[in-house]
Amino acid sequence: MEIAKGKRALVVGVANDKSLAWSIARQLHEAGAEIALTYQGEVLEKRVRPLAAQIEAAVIGELDVTNDDQIAAVFGALKEKWGGLDMLVHAVAFAEREDLRDRFLNVSRKNFARTMEISAYSLVALARAAEPLMEARGGGSIVTLSYLGAVRAIPNYNVMGVAKAALEACVRYLSIDLGSKNIRVNAISAGPARTLSSSAIRDFHTMAHEVEQRSPLRRAMDVEEPAKMAVALLSDLGSGVTGQTVYVDVGYNIVGF
Ligand code: NAD
């Protein structure tokens, strides 16, 4: 079913073929959307270009979300290429490895601010840049990726949990600001998946094992599952949904003990 046919999507956060953003980009392509990808720095460009070729995606430029000039350049290039934008995927997060182990209490002022800037504020910055392009298309849909550590204290997730709490709050406030322009904003709270980022979290395999043992579905989440939900929320299937955090975690978040 080509539910995204004729739609134009910017996907930010592909690092390699394990990235959740890559699964989303592939499924958006299968659903008929035209895709643009960005990359963070030259090293990742080498990984992103061959992936982009697989789904006939445009590599629209380098994007470090802390760099306002690069944000302006990427959205300027999109305006030139498409004149507008229907869908934005934000799958970006960063914390120093040292902060994803041991005590949350020890996080430095500098690292705390940097984690918040890259993992939460960046959604605001990208949504602001996307607004006029989505308005030009009569509306749009934005999806970001969160994790249960936003609302529960998960060992070792630490400052990233604080950033995800801020990210989910940003989703709610952005949805109010953008709703009158028919732009929806939602988060998917995904279960554990083995990616470049999650490999930095100490004892990640314990988190993943716990989900397999105790979730209602008694199995691991498949990485295609958050991607399928992203396509639904980004497309007209999700037309009545905004400001939400949707759990795609084989039900783990509802389990008490
Ligand atoms: P990933 O390492 O493949 O993707 C993280 C991306 O963030 C990379 O593409 C990286 O280039 C990008 N990034 C980091 N700092 C950046 C910056 N300054 N500017 C631009 N891009 C930057 O890992 P992933 O697991 O696919 O992560 C994608 C999203 O999914 C993240 O928000 C993550 O927190 C979230 N998430 C992951 C899991 C999991 O278990 N893997 C679970 C729930 C949510």
Side-chain angles (χ1 to χ4, degrees):
M1 193 169 45
E2 293 213 314
I3 55 173
K5 197 169 173 54
K7 302 289 185 186
R8 280 140 179 194
L10 173 65
V11 179
V12 179
V14 177
N16 57 34
D17 65 354
K18 301 282 182 298
S19 296
L20 296 181
W22 171 240
S23 303
I24 297 171
R26 256 196 309 100
Q27 292 215 18
L28 277 174
H29 171 68
E30 277 169 31
E34 262 185 87
I35 319 282
L37 302 179
T38 61
Y39 56 89
Q40 183 204 2
E42 273 172 35
V43 175
L44 293 184
E45 181 181 8
K46 293 196 184 83
R47 301 241 180 90
V48 171
R49 284 201 181 274
L51 292 174
Q54 286 180 31
I55 57 169
E56 293 152 31
V59 180
I60 205 79
E62 178 171 0
L63 180 58
D64 182 318
V65 293
T66 63
N67 185 324
D68 285 329
D69 293 339
Q70 288 183 3
I71 293 175
V74 162
F75 283 86
L78 283 178
K79 188 173 179 200
E80 201 149 291
K81 183 178 169 58
W82 287 334
L85 183 69
D86 302 292
M87 302 168 170
L88 169 64
V89 176
H90 170 277
V92 172
F94 176 80
E96 294 293 346
R97 191 169 270 266
E98 72 207 50
D99 293 326
L100 297 171
R101 48 201 62 223
D102 303 325
R103 304 175 85 196
F104 166 65
L105 192 68
N106 291 337
V107 66
S108 67
R109 188 187 298 271
K110 182 168 150 266
N111 288 4
F112 187 101
R114 187 165 156 75
T115 301
M116 287 296 245
E117 180 184 13
I118 296 175
S119 312
Y121 179 76
S122 63
L123 176 69
V124 183
L126 295 191
R128 191 165 54 237
E131 180 184 12
L133 277 82
M134 290 187 164
E135 225 182 331
R137 301 277 290 173
S141 180
I142 300 173
V143 164
T144 185
L145 273 302
S146 191
Y147 176 61
L148 186 60
V151 292
R152 306 272 178 81
I154 308 265
N156 299 319
Y157 202 63
N158 298 352
V159 66
M160 187 56 84
V162 177
K164 291 302 191 193
L167 180 73
E168 292 179 10
C170 289
V171 163
R172 291 187 285 273
Y173 283 97
L174 288 171
S175 71
I176 288 181
D177 283 355
L178 296 172
S180 60
K181 297 186 172 168
N182 192 31
I183 299 171
R184 297 180 293 105
V185 190
N186 292 288
I188 291 172
S189 184
R194 281 178 182 77
T195 62
L196 196 61
S197 294
S198 66
S199 68
I201 306 166
R202 175 180 281 169
D203 282 341
F204 175 80
H205 62 278
T206 309
M207 284 159 73
H209 184 70
E210 167 87 0
V211 169
E212 283 182 42
Q213 298 300 306
R214 300 189 45 212
S215 65
L217 293 181
R218 299 288 200 285
R219 62 168 173 83
M221 181 197 74
D222 185 311
V223 286
E224 299 306 318
E225 291 174 323
K228 282 191 278 186
M229 181 56 74
V231 174
L233 289 171
L234 289 164
S235 72
D236 286 344
L237 290 180
S239 62
V241 185
T242 194
Q244 304 302 308
T245 298
V246 179
Y247 286 85
V248 182
D249 66 343
V250 287
Y252 182 72
N253 73 93
I254 59 103
V255 174
F257 90 90

